Amino acid sequence: MKYKNPIISGYNPDPSICRVGSDYYIVNSSFEYFPGVPVYHSKNLVNWELLGHCLTTKEQLLLENCRVSGGIYAPTLRYHDGWFFMTTTNVSSGGNFIVHSRRPDGGWSAPAWVDQEGIDPSLLFDDDGKVYFVSTGMDEKRRACIRICELNPFTGEKYTESQILNYGCGGRYPEGPHMYKINGRYYLMLAEGGTEYGHMETMQRSDSPYGPYEPCPHNPILSHRDDVGEKIYCTGHADIVEDGNGNWWMVCLAIRPCGGEDNRVLLHNLGRETFLTPLVWDEDGWPVAGEGGHIDLEMEGALPGEVLPVCRDFSDDFSVPGFSHHYNFLRNPSMENYVRRTEENKLLLKGTQVTLNEEKSPVWLGVRQKGFETETTVKVYPKKRVQGMRGGITAFYNNDYHYEIYITPEGNHWKVALAKHVHDIFAVTAAAEVRLPQDGGVYFRIVTDKEYYTFLYSTDGEQYQVLGSGSTMGLCTEGTRRMTFTGTYLGMFAENGETEFENFTVKVLDGQ
């Protein structure tokens, strides 16, 4: 049965998967975005629905003063004896912790903190009743290593002291450890090489959870570091699962470069996405992922259910209370600044003095950009004339890298403007005076492709005028001034005053 990758598009890195009967669940990293750790559900491993998030309160997810690409790293999701367990790291506040719930879509507990250093924690529930907790750490010489302890997953109480388990298979930055017990043997799978273009996945096994471990003779079991296809890069940070038919599958992160055949660039703006590949075991009991460790944008496998058409469009007419699970906010938002006026089918954003250029929590909400070719449209109603007031829509990577089209007062008039922030340069690059129609609203649109974000406006919703454009390269991970791990959002914002929004839509046009 054929299917297309990525199975979860847009910024959805570090996937972890588990199966409960005929249901499959995936969680991903969320970094500085709130709520944290999205939970997806599927019946066939290809069509995924966003159920909600594991971390939905400030008590569970403290992100105040969280740096760009800080916050929540690399979660693991496991199911045991009627309970879901999610373990992850808040690198900005507290370290490693575990939450649990009877339901994957809500009711997650307060964090149970685990006194073991490092990031990328994972759990193995052994059949002898022991629970092993493994994570990436450092030894006394600051060499990266994998640590292990036994603990109570409900409380985080350690039953054994943490000890060094492994140093990986020779690649730099051994991390993302997942331990499995398969046919009576313990398998330790690691992400190595760094999460950039040298990324890879390795496997080891042992008769004991504490080792010693022998490496797979054909490591890495997954990597595109030497692939010349140039369609997929950075494959790694994987997790594996057996379906109800006895077939095995691997989910991993990977990127799709935004260059084309006539413009080869090692850059990506959509973030690290979630991919799927079949996995088989050879006669010696070692895993083989994809085609000799390579995956593709179109693959074939014995999926556990029929593949349905995938729609990645998003729309919100603000007619119902509550925000869609697809929305994210920056750090811990003050929700009194986000008012859904359902009787008027509008969203009111009460902009504060915090701007998109600051590493704080501006009045902003967005959805992941899920394709290279998209069209985002919204109608914007400025309220009172306030000096410095801005309200509009934005293509947003982080506070140092974003483009936005907005409305702002200038004297007795209104103007629409296009602003860009790249590195330490913030500038208004285009502006036009606009006469608002009788209802006081103006339409904004962002059209994207692999090369440009184009910004348009209209006073009637029919005839749009191009205000300007920004290079896609300005919103790519590889170009940021410090290491980052997220992807581009398409969202709404308000600063220094109130703005209303009507009919926010994002259409994905490239079918991928």
Side-chain angles (χ1 to χ4, degrees):
M1 195 178 306
K2 291 184 178 180
Y3 67 92
K4 291 184 177 182
N5 272 316
I7 55 169
I8 307 178
S9 58
Y11 146 60
N12 282 284
D14 307 323
S16 177
I17 189 169
C18 76
R19 177 174 70 91
V20 183
S22 61
D23 296 286
Y24 301 86
Y25 302 93
I26 281 179
V27 294
N28 299 93
S29 299
S30 52
F31 299 96
E32 70 263 38
Y33 292 94
F34 186 92
V37 186
V39 183
Y40 294 91
H41 168 257
S42 177
K43 286 284 191 179
N44 61 10
L45 293 172
V46 173
N47 297 101
W48 293 89
E49 175 191 6
L50 179 57
L51 295 181
H53 295 78
C54 295
L55 309 176
T56 58
T57 69
K58 188 175 181 179
E59 289 68 30
Q60 294 171 315
L61 180 55
L62 183 61
L63 293 174
E64 289 186 355
N65 301 314
C66 169
R67 72 177 190 273
V68 165
S69 287
I72 295 297
Y73 278 31
T76 295
L77 183 67
R78 295 292 181 257
Y79 179 82
H80 179 73
D81 197 23
W83 290 96
F84 289 90
F85 296 88
M86 190 281 294
T87 182
T88 188
T89 316
N90 187 338
V91 300
S92 302
S93 179
N96 289 322
F97 65 93
I98 306 170
V99 293
H100 60 271
S101 176
R102 289 286 191 186
R103 308 188 334 267
D105 60 345
W108 292 87
S109 69
W113 298 99
V114 180
D115 184 20
Q116 180 163 294
E117 67 167 2
I119 59 173
D120 301 0
S122 186
L123 293 164
L124 171 65
F125 292 84
D126 208 343
D127 47 22
D128 62 1
K130 294 181 178 179
V131 182
Y132 298 100
F133 182 90
V134 291
S135 65
T136 302
M138 295 282 184
D139 68 8
E140 67 279 358
K141 296 182 179 179
R142 305 302 295 169
R143 292 182 299 170
C145 63
I146 308 301
R147 292 187 176 273
I148 186 172
C149 71
E150 299 171 27
L151 51 59
N152 182 326
F154 290 98
T155 66
E157 177 189 1
K158 290 168 58 176
Y159 295 148
T160 64
E161 289 299 314
S162 299
Q163 65 182 69
I164 294 176
L165 177 65
N166 201 270
Y167 285 93
C169 296
R172 66 172 186 157
Y173 306 137
E175 58 190 14
H178 288 306
M179 185 182 289
Y180 314 93
K181 192 172 187 181
I182 302 171
N183 296 327
R185 306 187 79 174
Y186 295 89
Y187 286 79
L188 179 64
M189 190 168 72
L190 303 177
E192 301 190 46
T195 193
E196 302 83 32
Y197 292 85
H199 211 195
M200 59 183 175
E201 200 72 15
T202 63
M203 184 69 87
Q204 307 167 68
R205 70 184 179 195
S206 173
D207 292 325
S208 165
Y210 290 97
Y213 283 84
E214 62 169 321
C216 174
H218 58 260
N219 274 333
I221 62 171
L222 172 74
S223 183
H224 276 232
R225 60 184 182 175
D226 298 320
D227 182 33
V228 296
E230 300 182 350
K231 296 180 291 184
I232 299 171
Y233 290 109
C234 306
T235 51
H237 206 111
D239 199 2
I240 62 175
V241 69
E242 183 181 16
D243 69 20
N245 300 319
N247 299 311
W248 284 83
W249 300 87
M250 171 184 282
V251 293
C252 67
L253 67 77
I255 67 166
R256 292 180 286 160
C258 57
E261 293 183 1
D262 58 346
N263 181 29
R264 179 180 176 271
V265 293
L266 295 180
L267 297 170
H268 73 286
N269 63 310
L270 300 183
R272 299 171 299 165
E273 305 174 290
T274 295
F275 287 65
L276 174 74
T277 181
L279 182 140
V280 297
W281 299 88
D282 68 17
E283 60 184 10
D284 295 320
W286 292 109
V288 178
E291 295 293 331
H294 288 173
I295 61 176
D296 209 338
L297 295 176
E298 186 171 288
M299 300 192 72
E300 192 165 348
L303 295 165
E306 181 182 357
V307 176
L308 303 174
V310 176
C311 179
R312 294 176 170 87
D313 295 345
F314 176 82
S315 65
D316 188 357
D317 64 4
F318 311 115
S319 62
V320 296
F323 288 96
S324 165
H325 296 313
H326 290 274
Y327 281 122
N328 278 144
F329 304 85
L330 281 162
R331 302 174 182 86
N332 295 118
S334 297
M335 292 308 297
E336 64 270 17
N337 294 323
Y338 303 80
V339 182
R340 295 179 69 90
R341 292 183 165 173
T342 56
E343 68 284 356
E344 302 175 16
N345 288 10
K346 291 180 181 178
L347 170 68
L348 173 66
L349 296 185
K350 300 179 180 180
T352 68
Q353 293 182 345
V354 178
T355 72
L356 298 185
N357 297 327
E358 299 175 65
E359 201 172 73
K360 296 180 180 179
S361 185
V363 179
W364 172 98
L365 73 165
V367 298
R368 292 166 175 81
Q369 182 180 338
K370 295 184 178 182
F372 293 111
E373 298 176 12
T374 67
E375 181 182 276
T376 301
T377 306
V378 72
K379 192 173 185 180
V380 175
Y381 298 83
K383 305 305 285 183
K384 297 179 181 178
R385 294 178 183 273
V386 179
Q387 183 66 31
M389 169 266 177
R390 301 197 314 159
I393 54 175
T394 175
F396 185 91
Y397 184 86
N398 63 38
N399 59 282
D400 287 327
Y401 302 90
H402 53 88
Y403 306 146
E404 57 264 11
I405 185 171
Y406 58 92
I407 191 163
T408 188
E410 186 173 84
N412 295 324
H413 305 285
W414 291 100
K415 72 174 183 180
V416 294
L418 170 62
K420 305 176 191 177
H421 194 149
V422 178
H423 299 315
D424 59 349
I425 303 170
F426 177 72
V428 176
T429 59
E433 185 177 314
V434 63
R435 183 183 298 274
L436 297 181
Q438 188 173 358
D439 67 0
V442 61
Y443 296 85
F444 288 145
R445 177 170 289 171
I446 303 175
V447 177
T448 74
D449 58 31
K450 286 189 174 184
E451 294 190 66
Y452 290 101
Y453 288 75
T454 302
F455 299 83
L456 309 93
Y457 70 97
S458 170
T459 56
D460 61 8
E462 299 292 336
Q463 301 296 319
Y464 279 83
Q465 299 183 58
V466 173
L467 186 61
S469 63
S471 172
T472 297
M473 308 311 170
L475 301 180
C476 288
T477 298
E478 292 82 358
T480 56
R481 66 184 180 89
R482 48 184 164 172
M483 184 170 284
T484 54
F485 306 111
T486 57
T488 304
Y489 278 78
L490 298 163
M492 299 167 282
F493 76 99
E495 299 171 358
N496 294 302
E498 296 183 350
T499 304
E500 285 185 329
F501 297 80
E502 185 177 75
N503 288 326
F504 178 65
T505 64
V506 181
K507 297 179 180 179
V508 180
L509 307 176
D510 58 12
Q512 190 63 31

